[in-house]
Amino acid sequence: MNYFQSFILLLLCISCNTISAQEKFLHTWYTADNNNLPQNTVNSIVKDKYGYIWLSTENGIARYDGQTFDIYNSENIHGLISNRMRFFSGIPEKDSIYLLNETHQFLLINNRKIKNLNKRISEPYKSVKEIIESNHNPVSSLSFTEDSEYIDIQANQNLYIIGNDSIKLYNKQTSTSVEIAYKYPVNSQFFTINSSLYLDTKNSKAIAFDSNLRAKPIEYDRKFSSSYFIFTNNVARQSFIYHKKKLYYLKPNNKSIETILVSEDFDIPHNNIISFLYDEFSKKLYLGSANKGLLEVRKVGFNHIIPSLPHTIGTDGVYYALSDIGQNKVLSSTGEIFTSKGYKEITDMAGYSDKYMMVVDNHGDVWTKHSKILYRFKKDSDYKTFDKWKLDVSITAMTKAPDGKIWFGTFSKPNEKGGYLYYIDPKDRYCRPTVYLRVKEAAASISVPNNTTIWTGTWKGLCKYDIKSKKCYKIPDFPNCNVRALYIEPTGEVWACSYGKGFFLYKHNKTTQFPPDKNQYLLTSHCIIEDNNGFFWITTNKGIFQVKKQDLLNYAAKESTGIYYHSYNKNSGFPNNEFNGGCQPCGVYLKNQTIYFPSMEGIVFFNPDNISAIVPKNPLYIDEVIVDDKTLHTCKAVELNRNFERLNFTVSSPYFGESYNENIEFMLEGPVNQQWTVLTEKTISFSTLPPGEYILKTRKLTGFGSKWTYKNVAFSIKPAFWQTTWFQLFALALGIVLVLLIIKLRIKYIRYKNTVLESKVILQTAQLQETILALRKTKDDLSKQIDNHKKLIKSITHDIKSPLKFLSITGRYLYNNIDTNQDSLKENLQSIYTSSFQLYHFVDNFLEYAKETNINNDESTPYSLYQLAEEKKEFFRNIALAQKTYIHNKIPQYFTTTINRHLLSIILHNLIDNATKNTTDGSVIISSVTEKNGLTLSIEDTGKGMTNKELEYYNKILQGNFMQEETSTKGMGLPMVAELVHILEGKINITRTHKGGTNITISFTV
């Protein structure tokens, strides 16, 4: 650091003063100008037994629940003539608060509503009895004795009537009275605290009267050097002392009257304050002005520190890491040292640190870093001298172990994944950073709770390292998120804050992710500090959250279903809601008394013991049920007509804290069900609902302990007559009767149809029998005809057989005995002999086949297909020679088949015959191929072939599509072949060969 910078720092040290730009009390005005109040004159203030605050004004009455004001006047109070209201009286604890307007109409506040009692009370009162019965107190806040005959002060069940020379006490509860003679100075002031009467003596002393009006001197717990004023709120039984712009709330104890400061630096007379109320639970003061409305005053426990001059090398009020350096001092990473009283001094380290990390070692030296450089500022030199070490990579996290070692994590080198863990021992004279382990995930945060374990929060989760074995345990069920801060308890519980996914607890090898608040501010949690009372304080970008640690443990153990988070924002006393995280440490608990947090606008500090959280402990109420603009002032079971358009339930619960801390949920049970839903307004609305019984449930968390308070209201919607149970039963019965009637009619109709059908069946059966008889006769006639045809065929064949045999024998004789040299003649005789012999054998075989009674596809015993083809070849050899044609048998000799031999023989005979007759000077080839699922037989010739018309015709015949008259002119050969192939369940096809001949293919499935 150069001399100029040092000089500037010195000027800062001299000229900067602590600024605690924080008032101890915050003031909030509610007026008619901002539509909170009906009018700006607040004559009287009282709090009822339910927790609501009531204000009487010159233009009606206002009920304040801590968030909104409900106005009551002649528009919603039946019979009210004037809206000018006077003072409250009565007994709030008994739910009876009375009020008169300027026309002396008598109003009663009961059960959170205002009733007009429709009677008037005149003044002056005629008797004490009337005063007791009316519970009206015409005395203002200042109770001085004057020339009037008497004044009366109502204090709970006690009524004090003060004359010029006596005091009377009437106890309404016990119906007893006490009276004493008592002389008091002129302008003495009487006041009440609780139910007791006091007389101020203007010398910081007072007289206390007991239940028997025995007087006893008593002192205030502080001295008032000059004149002071006493203000009272008799109906609330409260009194206040105003002195030097400070207002004190009076509270009795055994020996003195305690004075509690509830406002300071506020001029009550100047602001025309005429009514007072102090809420002890919320610790809020309410002051009513004669012309300015209602003032809410509350004490805050949060303070903040901002230096008076901007940093020349700092961050202009933006703070990050903080550390405890002892002597009740806090060191910021900007180099400044603070105490609870504010700014103290500045050190030289401001120009070196990058503001995000600091560790104070056991000797008091401060370790910090700037990117890759590690610094140690020496305490002995007032942090002016330092050591530094430069690493190859940037430092990402830093902490101190119980044994005094400084541990820190870094990134990896460029183009490398993961990171490194280092340690350095400050006790070592020649200490230097030592690489402990290369890790897969760089540390974003680090904690070493003992000398055996290292915990690191990474950008991808949570890791644990055993220092001795250097083993890494990645927590498996921990979400993938950036863990920015760790809080490790001695019991082993690990609390982790993340950026974007909230905070977690790792306990007993189980990770619990806690639900966020309703606006999810806790999803970005900076760090956790635990105070002495068992509360966690968590900073976010939207303020500070307080949560009871036991509530979190109960939720993790599944012993509760909700967690109460208490939020603090700028209304709590700090100037900016945005706190800073990502720094280590991001909070300090100094001597277990004061917590310090860095923010975007200074350092916020507070004593947790002095922070009184205002929790929403009051019950829930359903004030009104509004059905189509009609208001029902009842919370009992409501019965509604089914044709309503809009149903509204007005929900209220007095809560005088920050509205964000009140979380009301509702759900509906009945014919229509809803899950728990956050109530964003004070009204729950439903449009048309189906008839039935419903229960509207509301609940809210009542504060730390995370207990729910519930309020349920039942209502029902009348059904239409067709939706009632009796109508449904009637409709059901009618439906059953109709169903039975329909069934009966249907059965009757079916029986009728059965009768008609039976008649038709009988008639058709008779016709069918006649048809069967005719068919049987026809069958018999056909059988006889077939037998006659068979006999005729046998007779003809038998008659042909003998001449053929004789012709064959004659031909053989002539061929063997003729003596001629003519070769052609001899060849012709040989042909005649051969043909007649073959024809004889064919007719003989045909005769044998015709003797069979049935022609079917019964399989034969296995036989050689080659041998069958050879027989046919020999049969047609001479005929083929006459045509100068040669027959080739290319069927493999090992081919066997079980296809009916007689039928296949006739088929081959006809096909070879046709091929031989149509082939001259050519060849006929018989071939066969066996396939996986069948047999293919082919007869191919080189004859004259067929025309396209002939192919179409013969293929049609082979498919069985032919006319009888066509076959009579074309011949019976191929039709017979087609019939036989069909019997054998085969397929036949005729094609033309590329040489012009004919190829007939027969396929059989085997």
Side-chain angles (χ1 to χ4, degrees):
M1 182 178 294
N2 56 39
Y3 290 105
F4 177 75
Q5 290 178 330
S6 300
F7 177 72
I8 293 297
L9 288 175
L10 180 61
L11 288 179
L12 287 173
C13 292
I14 296 172
S15 60
C16 291
N17 296 316
T18 299
I19 295 181
S20 180
Q22 166 67 54
E23 296 180 351
K24 291 184 178 179
F25 294 90
L26 291 180
H27 299 75
T28 305
W29 281 100
Y30 300 99
T31 67
D33 300 331
N34 53 26
N35 296 321
N36 294 128
L37 302 179
Q39 197 265 341
N40 283 332
T41 301
V42 181
N43 291 320
S44 183
I45 309 174
V46 69
K47 185 176 182 180
D48 66 14
K49 64 174 292 186
Y50 304 100
Y52 296 93
I53 292 177
W54 296 83
L55 313 174
S56 67
T57 75
E58 297 292 320
N59 191 31
I61 305 169
R63 190 189 76 171
Y64 182 45
D65 63 3
Q67 311 300 324
T68 58
F69 292 86
D70 295 322
I71 309 303
Y72 298 89
N73 50 32
S74 57
E75 294 182 1
N76 49 20
I77 300 177
H78 180 71
L80 188 67
I81 298 175
S82 173
N83 289 329
R84 286 179 172 269
M85 302 297 165
R86 298 185 62 182
F87 307 104
F88 292 113
S89 64
I91 305 175
E93 293 82 1
K94 298 293 184 180
D95 197 18
S96 60
I97 301 174
Y98 295 93
L99 182 66
L100 286 179
N101 64 3
E102 68 171 353
T103 61
H104 302 116
Q105 284 183 292
F106 203 29
L107 306 178
L108 170 65
I109 299 177
N110 174 262
N111 197 25
R112 309 183 306 280
K113 296 292 182 292
I114 299 178
K115 301 176 183 179
N116 185 353
L117 298 182
N118 294 319
K119 66 178 180 178
R120 298 188 183 189
I121 298 178
S122 60
E123 291 184 307
Y125 291 105
K126 300 300 182 180
S127 65
V128 174
K129 180 179 179 182
E130 288 182 346
I131 296 175
I132 297 176
E133 289 177 351
S134 66
N135 284 310
H136 172 63
N137 178 15
V139 182
S140 64
S141 298
L142 295 176
S143 300
F144 292 99
T145 59
E146 297 177 350
D147 295 334
S148 60
E149 182 179 353
Y150 61 83
I151 62 172
D152 61 272
I153 301 176
Q154 178 83 36
N156 200 353
Q157 301 290 344
N158 292 336
L159 175 63
Y160 297 95
I161 299 178
I162 302 169
N164 289 327
D165 57 1
S166 66
I167 301 175
K168 298 177 182 179
L169 168 61
Y170 292 86
N171 189 289
K172 185 177 180 181
Q173 184 176 16
T174 60
S175 299
T176 59
S177 63
V178 179
E179 181 177 0
I180 63 170
Y182 195 84
K183 295 292 291 183
Y184 45 86
V186 177
N187 294 330
S188 295
Q189 184 172 6
F190 288 91
F191 60 93
T192 57
I193 303 176
N194 295 332
S195 298
S196 300
L197 181 67
Y198 295 85
L199 173 63
D200 179 65
T201 59
K202 294 298 179 183
N203 56 358
S204 298
K205 296 181 180 180
I207 303 296
F209 297 90
D210 61 14
S211 58
N212 293 315
L213 294 181
R214 289 190 293 263
K216 180 180 69 173
I218 192 171
E219 295 184 355
Y220 302 110
D221 63 353
R222 72 179 71 212
K223 299 295 183 180
F224 299 102
S225 58
S226 59
S227 61
Y228 54 87
F229 299 94
I230 294 181
F231 298 96
T232 64
N233 184 337
N234 289 325
V235 68
R237 304 185 304 281
Q238 292 182 347
S239 295
F240 304 84
I241 286 183
Y242 178 70
H243 178 246
K244 291 184 177 181
K245 292 188 178 182
K246 293 182 179 180
L247 186 68
Y248 300 90
Y249 172 65
L250 303 183
K251 190 173 184 179
N253 55 34
N254 293 331
K255 297 181 180 180
S256 64
I257 298 176
E258 183 181 0
T259 56
I260 301 172
L261 181 65
V262 293
S263 175
E264 68 176 345
D265 196 24
F266 180 76
D267 194 331
I268 286 180
H270 178 75
N271 288 277
N272 298 321
I273 302 300
I274 58 174
S275 53
F276 302 78
L277 178 71
Y278 181 69
D279 184 7
E280 291 194 24
F281 174 74
S282 64
K283 293 182 171 51
K284 288 187 176 182
L285 172 69
Y286 297 92
L287 303 176
S289 171
N291 63 341
K292 293 183 178 182
L294 177 69
L295 176 65
E296 181 183 85
V297 183
R298 59 190 177 91
K299 187 176 182 180
V300 295
F302 290 91
N303 302 279
H304 72 280
I305 307 169
I306 295 180
S308 59
L309 293 179
H311 300 169
T312 57
I313 52 178
T315 52
D316 288 342
V318 181
Y319 287 87
Y320 288 95
L322 303 174
S323 288
D324 179 6
I325 58 173
Q327 298 179 352
N328 204 25
K329 295 179 180 180
V330 174
L331 173 67
S332 75
S333 55
T334 59
E336 295 159 294
I337 298 176
F338 298 95
T339 68
S340 59
K341 296 182 179 180
Y343 182 82
K344 188 71 176 177
E345 57 184 300
I346 191 167
T347 66
D348 289 345
M349 72 175 66
Y352 299 95
S353 171
D354 61 9
K355 316 298 184 296
Y356 288 100
M357 294 177 197
M358 282 197 310
V359 172
V360 179
D361 64 20
N362 292 340
H363 183 66
D365 296 340
V366 176
W367 297 74
T368 186
K369 65 95 178 178
H370 190 287
S371 186
K372 301 178 182 180
I373 303 176
L374 178 67
Y375 291 98
R376 176 174 65 175
F377 287 87
K378 302 292 187 65
K379 178 182 178 181
D380 297 341
S381 66
D382 290 333
Y383 309 109
K384 295 179 180 179
T385 62
F386 59 85
D387 299 324
K388 72 174 182 178
W389 298 265
K390 186 173 183 180
L391 282 71
D392 296 331
V393 288
S394 296
I395 300 172
T396 59
M398 186 184 301
T399 190
K400 183 183 75 173
D403 60 2
K405 291 181 180 178
I406 307 299
W407 289 83
F408 53 94
T410 70
F411 287 121
S412 289
K413 296 178 181 179
N415 300 323
E416 291 183 359
K417 295 182 179 180
Y420 293 89
L421 290 179
Y422 285 80
Y423 69 87
I424 187 170
D425 191 351
K427 296 182 292 185
D428 190 350
R429 182 178 179 183
Y430 303 102
C431 63
R432 64 177 182 177
T434 303
V435 176
Y436 167 72
L437 184 66
R438 182 177 178 181
V439 294
K440 294 182 179 180
E441 297 179 12
S445 55
I446 186 171
S447 178
V448 185
N450 51 58
N451 296 322
T452 61
T453 306
I454 302 173
W455 290 89
T456 64
T458 73
W459 280 266
K460 295 182 180 180
L462 183 64
C463 295
K464 177 183 179 182
Y465 297 89
D466 183 270
I467 294 179
K468 185 176 181 181
S469 65
K470 296 186 177 182
K471 289 184 178 180
C472 173
Y473 304 93
K474 179 72 180 289
I475 305 306
D477 62 342
F478 201 92
N480 188 350
C481 60
N482 178 7
V483 180
R484 311 177 76 194
L486 296 172
Y487 171 54
I488 316 295
E489 299 199 65
T491 56
E493 297 165 347
V494 179
W495 303 86
C497 296
S498 75
Y499 191 93
K501 291 191 177 180
F503 64 104
F504 307 85
L505 167 64
Y506 179 72
K507 181 180 181 181
H508 301 323
N509 299 322
K510 176 187 175 183
T511 299
T512 300
Q513 183 175 8
F514 295 103
D517 55 300
K518 61 184 177 183
N519 284 355
Q520 300 187 342
Y521 298 150
L522 279 167
L523 288 182
T524 303
S525 302
H526 296 330
C527 64
I528 295 174
I529 288 184
E530 182 180 4
D531 64 18
N532 294 328
N533 302 315
F535 288 97
F536 281 173
W537 297 83
I538 307 172
T539 56
T540 70
N541 289 334
K542 293 291 185 178
I544 303 175
F545 285 84
Q546 180 186 10
V547 58
K548 193 172 184 179
K549 175 183 172 182
Q550 189 59 47
D551 290 353
L552 300 174
L553 295 175
N554 291 341
Y555 181 87
K558 297 183 178 180
E559 296 177 1
S560 63
T561 58
I563 302 174
Y564 177 75
Y565 300 111
H566 194 83
S567 171
Y568 299 92
N569 55 26
K570 290 194 301 183
N571 295 333
S572 302
F574 40 85
N576 197 309
N577 285 335
E578 185 173 355
F579 288 81
N580 284 322
C583 50
Q584 301 171 20
C586 77
V588 173
Y589 194 13
L590 193 62
K591 289 188 176 182
N592 290 340
Q593 291 181 349
T594 307
I595 295 177
Y596 292 80
F597 284 126
S599 78
M600 294 294 290
E601 194 171 346
I603 296 175
V604 175
F605 66 96
F606 60 95
N607 186 336
D609 296 335
N610 295 335
I611 302 297
S612 298
I614 306 173
V615 297
K617 70 169 186 175
N618 288 311
L620 286 163
Y621 301 104
I622 306 295
D623 281 339
E624 294 177 337
V625 180
I626 303 175
V627 183
D628 296 337
D629 297 329
K630 181 181 179 181
T631 302
L632 306 177
H633 297 284
T634 178
C635 293
K636 297 181 180 179
V638 179
E639 188 175 55
L640 309 173
N641 292 323
R642 64 180 179 83
N643 56 353
F644 73 91
E645 294 182 359
R646 178 64 61 178
L647 173 63
N648 295 328
F649 293 89
T650 303
V651 181
S652 69
S653 180
Y655 175 58
F656 298 92
E658 193 64 35
S659 60
Y660 191 80
N661 294 320
E662 186 176 48
N663 299 289
I664 301 176
E665 299 177 356
F666 71 93
M667 71 177 298
L668 185 66
E669 288 185 353
V672 175
N673 290 292
Q674 291 181 344
Q675 299 300 318
W676 286 110
T677 305
V678 176
L679 181 64
T680 56
E681 298 179 354
K682 292 295 184 181
T683 302
I684 302 172
S685 296
F686 299 102
S687 57
T688 305
L689 293 172
E693 301 290 333
Y694 291 89
I695 298 178
L696 176 64
K697 296 183 176 181
T698 58
R699 71 176 184 180
K700 72 170 183 177
L701 292 170
T702 56
F704 300 114
S706 298
K707 301 298 182 181
W708 297 97
T709 180
Y710 292 85
K711 177 64 177 179
N712 302 336
V713 58
F715 66 96
S716 61
I717 299 175
K718 293 180 182 179
F721 74 91
W722 62 82
Q723 295 173 319
T724 57
T725 303
W726 65 265
F727 180 83
Q728 292 173 352
L729 293 175
F730 172 75
L732 178 62
L734 182 60
I736 294 173
V737 171
L738 289 176
V739 169
L740 293 176
L741 182 60
I742 292 172
I743 292 173
K744 186 176 181 180
L745 293 175
R746 183 65 178 172
I747 291 173
K748 186 177 181 180
Y749 174 75
I750 291 173
R751 285 175 179 173
Y752 167 75
K753 295 294 289 183
N754 286 342
T755 303
V756 175
L757 183 61
E758 286 175 359
S759 301
K760 289 183 179 181
V761 168
I762 292 171
L763 178 60
Q764 291 180 358
T765 301
Q767 293 175 351
L768 184 60
Q769 288 176 349
E770 293 176 0
T771 303
I772 291 173
L773 291 175
L775 290 174
R776 284 178 180 175
K777 185 177 182 303
T778 303
K779 178 184 178 183
D780 294 340
D781 293 342
L782 289 175
S783 297
K784 290 178 182 180
Q785 187 177 1
I786 290 172
D787 289 341
N788 292 334
H789 288 170
K790 284 184 178 182
K791 291 177 181 179
L792 180 60
I793 291 171
K794 289 179 182 179
S795 175
I796 294 171
T797 305
H798 185 271
D799 292 342
I800 294 174
K801 178 180 178 183
S802 296
L804 287 176
K805 184 176 182 182
F806 175 77
L807 181 61
S808 174
I809 294 171
T810 303
R812 182 179 61 182
Y813 176 79
L814 290 174
Y815 175 75
N816 291 331
N817 296 297
I818 192 170
D819 185 13
T820 180
N821 293 324
Q822 297 180 4
D823 293 336
S824 59
L825 179 61
K826 198 165 186 177
E827 288 178 1
N828 290 332
L829 290 174
Q830 185 179 8
S831 297
I832 293 172
Y833 160 68
T834 303
S835 299
S836 60
F837 180 77
Q838 290 175 348
L839 184 58
Y840 165 75
H841 280 285
F842 176 76
V843 171
D844 184 56
N845 290 334
F846 184 75
L847 182 62
E848 291 297 323
Y849 179 74
K851 292 179 181 180
E852 296 184 7
T853 58
N854 295 310
I855 298 176
N856 53 41
N857 190 21
D858 292 341
E859 293 184 348
S860 304
T861 58
Y863 62 91
S864 173
L865 184 60
Y866 172 81
Q867 190 61 41
L868 178 62
E870 279 295 313
E871 292 177 2
K872 298 304 176 183
K873 176 182 176 182
E874 290 298 325
F875 186 88
F876 289 100
R877 178 185 301 275
N878 292 332
I879 298 173
L881 290 176
Q883 295 288 106
K884 296 182 181 181
T885 298
Y886 186 77
I887 301 175
H888 301 278
N889 182 8
K890 292 187 177 182
I891 298 176
Q893 297 184 13
Y894 58 83
F895 271 18
T896 60
T897 183
T898 60
I899 299 173
N900 190 302
R901 197 176 191 279
H902 293 295
L903 300 182
L904 187 57
S905 175
I906 296 171
I907 293 170
L908 281 176
H909 186 94
N910 277 275
L911 295 178
I912 295 173
D913 182 28
N914 289 336
T916 304
K917 287 190 296 183
N918 291 283
T919 303
T920 302
D921 195 14
S923 62
V924 177
I925 301 172
I926 306 170
S927 61
S928 179
V929 177
T930 57
E931 298 175 349
K932 183 177 181 181
N933 296 323
L935 170 68
T936 301
L937 185 61
S938 177
I939 295 89
E940 181 180 344
D941 62 59
T942 60
K944 60 182 180 180
M946 298 182 184
T947 64
N948 290 335
K949 187 175 182 180
E950 289 175 331
L951 280 174
E952 181 180 359
Y953 169 76
Y954 284 113
N955 275 317
K956 185 188 298 184
I957 290 177
L958 293 176
Q959 298 301 325
N961 301 323
F962 58 88
M963 300 298 292
Q964 185 65 30
E965 56 271 16
E966 292 179 347
T967 58
S968 63
T969 59
K970 299 292 184 178
M972 290 295 295
L974 282 176
M976 183 177 68
V977 169
E979 183 68 22
L980 294 176
V981 170
H982 178 71
I983 292 173
L984 294 176
E985 298 179 353
K987 294 181 180 179
I988 187 169
N989 187 36
I990 302 176
T991 59
R992 183 187 300 152
T993 65
H994 65 282
K995 294 180 179 181
T998 303
N999 182 24
I1000 300 178
T1001 303
I1002 307 172
S1003 300
F1004 300 101
T1005 301
V1006 296

